Each structure stands twice: as structure tokens, then as C-alpha cells.
Amino acid sequence: MEKVFHPANSRGKADFGWLKANYSFSFANFFDPNKTNFGLLRVLNDDTVAAGMGFGTHPHRDMEIITIPLSGQVRHRDSMDHTKVVKAGEVQVMSAGTGVEHSEMNPSQHDLNMLQIWIFPEKQGLEPRYDQKNYEHLLQKNELINLVTPKSDQKEEAVWINQNAYLKLGEFESGRKIAYNLQNQEHGVYIFLIDGSLKIDDHTLEKRDAMGVWKTSGLTIEVLKQSKVLLIEVPMS
């Protein structure tokens, strides 16, 4: 088993007043040659956006973009004629493909905190698409649920992307153990601790810490205190 540990305080940071951002991987003005990606996972941004503010219209292409609001809501508008509000408890996917423009604004009177995840697609030049689903009703204590699956392994409850990647989310009580088996031996899994405390082998993870694991068929995660955890399984090449 190979591992890489990314403590929360090692993330890149930006504070624009209206936006407070934490970058798990090199992004914008943050560059770390040792943190450009984890396999085909390119971006994991932890953004807090002030009330009434947001990202104006901007382009993307050839990227699978996943947005998970943790608190608050984001209003999405794009060049595919979608105008949607995505709330905490929902997951959104946008396949940028041949090119799309969109904006993301916080329409509420409270801060928005969201995770933005970019994964390289299986091939370039795909048709752009949009989808979102509510997952809150699926959450059960001490179980992982599917948020995102590959197009080839679609799950009714999840959104799908154009890559052989899986995103799973769970809330676990103290003392539990999470046994996770990877879908493919060529994959790795990036464990991002949204809240709580976990132990993986000899590493203890606290809130917003992360660990990448590969060259293994599975792993066991020990829950030290009540935790909310996101697992991102991706091909490593």
C-alpha cells in the first residue's frame, strides 16, 4: 500500500473577502509540484462564498466538475440553458466536454460552503451535460452512499460522470470501522475528512485532513469520533 497524507493546514489558501478558498491541489495562484493531482483527481477546493457573491460567468472544457454544497446553496446558470439552485444535501455534476460557460452565485443571506471537485474525463471532446440529485434522504448512520458513479456503472440514486470514478459519502459514529474495497486494483482512493476524527494505519486525520491510498485492494478506517467522510476513488493513470 502506498499513501500520501495531506493535513488541512498544508492546503493552499486564498482570501478575497467574498471568497475564502482552500485548495487541496495546485490551483489559481497556489502551486506545489508535489500536489498537482491524485491520479485523475485534479481539483478539490473547499470554498466559502459570502452572501450575494459568487463566481461570474467563466468557461470550462474537457473536465468532469462535481459540486457538493456542505451548507447553504449555490445558484448555477450555464450556456446549456440550465438555471438551477443546488442546496446542501444535493450533488451536482457538469461535464464540460467540448465547452460550456457557467456562473455560480450564493443567492442567500448566509455563507455558502461547498466542495468543488474536478476529475479528468475518459476522453476529450464529449458532449456537455448537466445533472443534480438529492442524496440527503439516502444517508444512514454508519453506511457509505453513492454520490457519483461512472456512466458504465450508473446507480439510480447517484449522478454519473464520464470516468471510471466513484464518490461515496458517509456519516459514522465513534468506534465504528469502515471497510472499503476498491473497485479496481489500478485505482486509488482519496479520503477527505469533512468533519470528525479518523485513523488510517498510523495516521490520525482531523477535520479537513486528507489521505490518498493506492496499490491496495482495500483499507480499513477507524472512526475515533463522530465523522463525516468523503471517499473519491479514481484511476491512478
PDB file of all heavy atoms in Angstrom, residues 4 12 56 166 185:
ATOM      1  N   VAL A   4      -0.288   8.902   0.816  1.00  0.00           N
ATOM      2  CA  VAL A   4       0.161  10.285   0.928  1.00  0.00           C
ATOM      3  C   VAL A   4      -0.803  10.991   1.871  1.00  0.00           C
ATOM      4  O   VAL A   4      -2.020  10.828   1.775  1.00  0.00           O
ATOM      5  CB  VAL A   4       0.208  10.984  -0.454  1.00  0.00           C
ATOM      6  CG1 VAL A   4      -1.161  11.024  -1.131  1.00  0.00           C
ATOM      7  CG2 VAL A   4       0.791  12.384  -0.330  1.00  0.00           C
ATOM      8  N   GLY A  12      -3.430  25.030  -0.070  1.00  0.00           N
ATOM      9  CA  GLY A  12      -3.291  26.410  -0.496  1.00  0.00           C
ATOM     10  C   GLY A  12      -4.477  27.223  -0.021  1.00  0.00           C
ATOM     11  O   GLY A  12      -5.576  26.691   0.155  1.00  0.00           O
ATOM     12  N   GLY A  56     -18.573  34.779 -11.391  1.00  0.00           N
ATOM     13  CA  GLY A  56     -19.236  35.218 -12.614  1.00  0.00           C
ATOM     14  C   GLY A  56     -19.038  34.226 -13.745  1.00  0.00           C
ATOM     15  O   GLY A  56     -18.324  33.227 -13.610  1.00  0.00           O
ATOM     16  N   TYR A 166     -15.596   6.939  -8.578  1.00  0.00           N
ATOM     17  CA  TYR A 166     -16.696   6.810  -7.622  1.00  0.00           C
ATOM     18  C   TYR A 166     -16.501   7.815  -6.490  1.00  0.00           C
ATOM     19  O   TYR A 166     -15.389   7.958  -5.968  1.00  0.00           O
ATOM     20  CB  TYR A 166     -16.734   5.412  -7.017  1.00  0.00           C
ATOM     21  CG  TYR A 166     -17.028   4.309  -7.994  1.00  0.00           C
ATOM     22  CD1 TYR A 166     -16.021   3.806  -8.836  1.00  0.00           C
ATOM     23  CD2 TYR A 166     -18.295   3.759  -8.095  1.00  0.00           C
ATOM     24  CE1 TYR A 166     -16.285   2.786  -9.741  1.00  0.00           C
ATOM     25  CE2 TYR A 166     -18.565   2.726  -9.004  1.00  0.00           C
ATOM     26  CZ  TYR A 166     -17.556   2.255  -9.812  1.00  0.00           C
ATOM     27  OH  TYR A 166     -17.820   1.244 -10.725  1.00  0.00           O
ATOM     28  N   GLN A 185      -7.962  -2.617  -9.083  1.00  0.00           N
ATOM     29  CA  GLN A 185      -6.621  -2.588  -8.488  1.00  0.00           C
ATOM     30  C   GLN A 185      -5.743  -1.486  -9.058  1.00  0.00           C
ATOM     31  O   GLN A 185      -4.685  -1.178  -8.505  1.00  0.00           O
ATOM     32  CB  GLN A 185      -5.938  -3.943  -8.670  1.00  0.00           C
ATOM     33  CG  GLN A 185      -5.674  -4.330 -10.111  1.00  0.00           C
ATOM     34  CD  GLN A 185      -4.973  -5.671 -10.224  1.00  0.00           C
ATOM     35  OE1 GLN A 185      -4.713  -6.341  -9.220  1.00  0.00           O
ATOM     36  NE2 GLN A 185      -4.663  -6.055 -11.454  1.00  0.00           N
TER      37      GLN A 185
END
